[in-house]
Amino acid sequence: MLRMFRPHVYATYGLLWVLALEGSAVTLTGTAWQPSGATWVRVASVVLALLFLRMLDEQKDLEYDREHHPDRPLVTGEITVAELRGGMAAVTAAAVGLNAALSAAAVLLILTALGYGLSLVVLERLSPAVRDRQLLNLAVTYPVQVLLGVYVYGSLAAAGTITADWRGALLLTLCACVFLHFEFARKTSWEAAPGARMYSAALGPRRSALLTTGFAAGAAGCQIVLFGPDGALGLLPCAMAVLPALGARRFLAARRGGWPLPAATGFVFGTHLALTVRAVLLP
């Protein structure tokens, strides 16, 4: 966990993601929001799910890591597949136990996300194209992140806290754009080692950079549609768009190296933090 999960990163991301999504969903109904016990169950469940998926990825990418990341714990033998699977079983049991306190729908939604992650192992073994083609792999694997967002939103609806409507789909799209900006940024570079799984290797550095920037623009557009009526405070998260703009300018001007990851990371954490602040401050 300390090496491959980095709790201060993943746990903070899970925390801010849930607070931003739940807070925004509630305030969009015109109701004041504050975290509750159910909120912390959702936070813990999302963090546990991210840990589950991290453990799963270590096993799924073992052959690739043997060549490109030989220092990883599963490759070096510091941890075994059996130990990882035991950890995944414990995480699943904890997630089910937590969500049983919310509703049967919450249990079903979190298990759907974890189950989809497990299905990817089988799919990648059956299809070399899904495993090796970067863009196809993203299209197949990314829905697990969407399902975690659906878990948060759906459990709110199941509890009667919100009534699901079109704004929920736009809110989930906003979260998807924020995540995909970072996903593309971390795999966009002017150079790539042979066999490296980089979007810039498949698309070219400039087109990959364009998509990276486009996802950030998409997140800002969703914010304007959803929160524009709330005035300046509603548009506070849009201020974070300056970070992708600076990142794109620096990347394209340098013509070497990778996308400036501090800008991409700052956009992800800054946007979710700004959405949370907006939800807390709105009357």
Side-chain angles (χ1 to χ4, degrees):
M1 286 182 61
L2 293 177
R3 287 188 56 191
M4 301 310 303
F5 189 69
R6 292 180 297 170
H8 66 286
V9 175
Y10 283 88
T12 302
Y13 171 67
L15 169 68
L16 291 177
W17 182 17
V18 173
L19 294 181
L21 180 52
E22 179 180 312
S24 297
V26 172
T27 56
L28 282 171
T29 67
T31 305
W33 170 78
Q34 61 180 8
S36 64
T39 304
W40 304 120
V41 168
R42 295 183 185 102
V43 169
S45 298
V46 167
V47 173
L48 286 171
L50 293 174
L51 175 58
F52 179 96
L53 295 172
R54 181 67 263 165
M55 290 175 168
L56 186 64
D57 282 346
E58 288 301 294
Q59 299 168 69
K60 184 164 59 73
D61 298 337
L62 180 57
E63 294 304 317
Y64 177 85
D65 289 340
R66 281 180 173 144
E67 180 179 352
H68 295 277
H69 303 288
D71 62 331
R72 289 195 170 177
L74 189 58
V75 177
T76 62
E78 295 175 70
I79 194 168
T80 67
V81 169
E83 288 170 333
L84 281 177
R85 290 176 179 173
M88 290 166 62
V91 165
T92 302
V96 169
L98 285 168
N99 285 278
L102 296 184
S103 65
V107 173
L108 179 61
L109 288 169
I110 195 66
L111 284 178
T112 299
L114 300 183
Y116 186 84
L118 286 172
S119 72
L120 296 175
V121 177
V122 178
L123 184 58
E124 290 192 13
R125 287 176 180 172
L126 293 176
S127 173
V130 170
R131 182 179 65 247
D132 299 329
R133 292 171 58 184
Q134 189 69 13
L135 293 174
L136 178 59
N137 183 267
L138 176 66
V140 171
T141 60
Y142 178 68
V144 72
Q145 291 278 343
V146 176
L147 288 172
L148 287 177
V150 170
Y151 155 73
V152 174
Y153 190 85
S155 64
L156 284 167
T161 306
I162 63 170
T163 300
D165 59 19
W166 65 271
R167 292 173 297 183
L170 198 57
L171 189 56
L172 292 173
T173 301
L174 190 167
C175 293
C177 285
V178 172
F179 176 85
L180 287 171
H181 168 76
F182 177 77
E183 170 66 13
F184 268 75
R186 74 189 184 95
K187 295 182 180 179
T188 292
S189 177
W190 288 99
E191 309 90 13
R197 295 176 179 174
M198 303 287 286
Y199 299 114
S200 51
L203 297 169
R206 288 182 177 84
R207 281 190 292 178
S208 188
L210 180 63
L211 268 176
T212 303
T213 309
F215 285 121
C222 290
Q223 292 165 26
I224 291 170
V225 174
L226 287 170
F227 309 130
D230 296 327
L233 180 59
L235 295 177
L236 174 65
C238 289
M240 295 299 111
V242 69
L243 294 174
L246 292 174
R249 179 179 178 182
R250 181 174 176 181
F251 176 79
L252 294 172
R255 297 192 178 185
R256 60 184 178 84
W259 189 280
L261 285 184
T265 304
F267 176 69
V268 172
F269 285 93
T271 298
H272 287 115
L273 180 59
L275 287 170
T276 302
V277 170
R278 169 199 164 275
V280 169
L281 295 181
L282 276 177

